[in-house]
Amino acid sequence: MTLMFPPSPKLKNMARAAAWIAVIGMVLVGGTCVYLAFHPDLVVESLQQGTLPNSNLPTDMVLLIAAAVAFLPIALFLIGMWEARTMFHLIGDGFLLDQDCQKSMVRLGRLAIASAVLGIVARTLILVLMTSNNPPGQKMLSIGIGSGEISSLIIGLLFFIFALVVKETASIAEENRSII
């Protein structure tokens, strides 16, 4: 079922701007990843955040695994920004009540919740990996939930609610069309 309603100029402009912001975010994060690929010392420095100042560096293989784990939330972010761009294009083109837009909102909700969980797991795993070469008593394990994870959970739930509201609105609009 395709329900198209011409968006107001304000909504169209806002959706267009939001789509561009998503693309700019993807380019900036992707560019940072490329930059870091050529500066491994900065990657190691970043991975060491939260460890003791005199921590031993893990083996090269463990460093590579830690870097890969650190990249997972970034990859999820890039996927989320692409999905957000898609949703904003649908809204800007007048397909707010379309099933594709609803599905996009649900996917964004899932990505936001997955991002919260993955952020907690990745940070914990990176700390364990980065202190794995320390002597006994200096290895670290820390599990933390911060405002970023809580915000991601709330945003994910909001997307699920918006998807349901859009679905119900589309049902009402379809019912009204069939009456007329």
Side-chain angles (χ1 to χ4, degrees), residues 16-177:
R16 187 177 296 135
W20 274 108
I21 290 170
V23 169
I24 291 168
M26 289 170 45
V27 169
L28 290 174
V29 169
T32 301
C33 289
V34 170
Y35 177 79
L36 289 174
F38 292 103
H39 296 86
D41 54 319
L42 294 176
V43 174
V44 172
E45 186 179 318
S46 175
L47 292 172
Q48 284 183 308
Q49 289 179 353
T51 64
L52 298 171
N54 57 353
S55 288
N56 297 332
L57 277 178
T59 64
D60 288 344
M61 179 56 81
V62 173
L63 274 174
L64 188 61
I65 293 169
V69 169
F71 181 72
L72 292 175
I74 296 167
L76 198 59
F77 172 81
L78 292 172
I79 293 166
M81 287 299 98
W82 184 260
E83 188 64 43
R85 183 204 66 82
T86 301
M87 183 194 68
F88 291 133
H89 277 294
L90 287 168
I91 292 170
D93 291 342
F95 294 103
L96 175 63
L97 299 181
D98 190 67
Q99 285 180 350
D100 288 340
C101 192
Q102 296 167 36
K103 289 176 184 175
S104 185
M105 288 180 186
V106 170
R107 280 191 296 271
L108 281 167
R110 288 182 182 142
L111 285 166
I113 290 172
S115 175
V117 172
L118 186 58
I120 296 166
V121 171
R123 218 176 19 256
T124 301
L125 190 54
I126 289 167
L127 188 59
V128 168
L129 290 169
M130 292 305 292
T131 60
S132 65
N133 205 22
N134 285 356
Q138 291 186 3
K139 297 177 194 253
M140 297 177 69
L141 171 66
S142 175
I143 302 170
I145 299 173
S147 59
E149 288 81 19
I150 293 170
S151 296
S152 287
L153 289 172
I154 295 295
I155 289 168
L157 293 171
L158 282 171
F159 272 116
F160 289 142
I161 289 170
F162 291 152
L164 287 173
V165 168
V166 167
K167 184 177 182 178
E168 289 184 24
T169 303
S171 294
I172 292 168
E174 189 61 36
E175 185 178 321
N176 288 342
R177 277 186 175 179

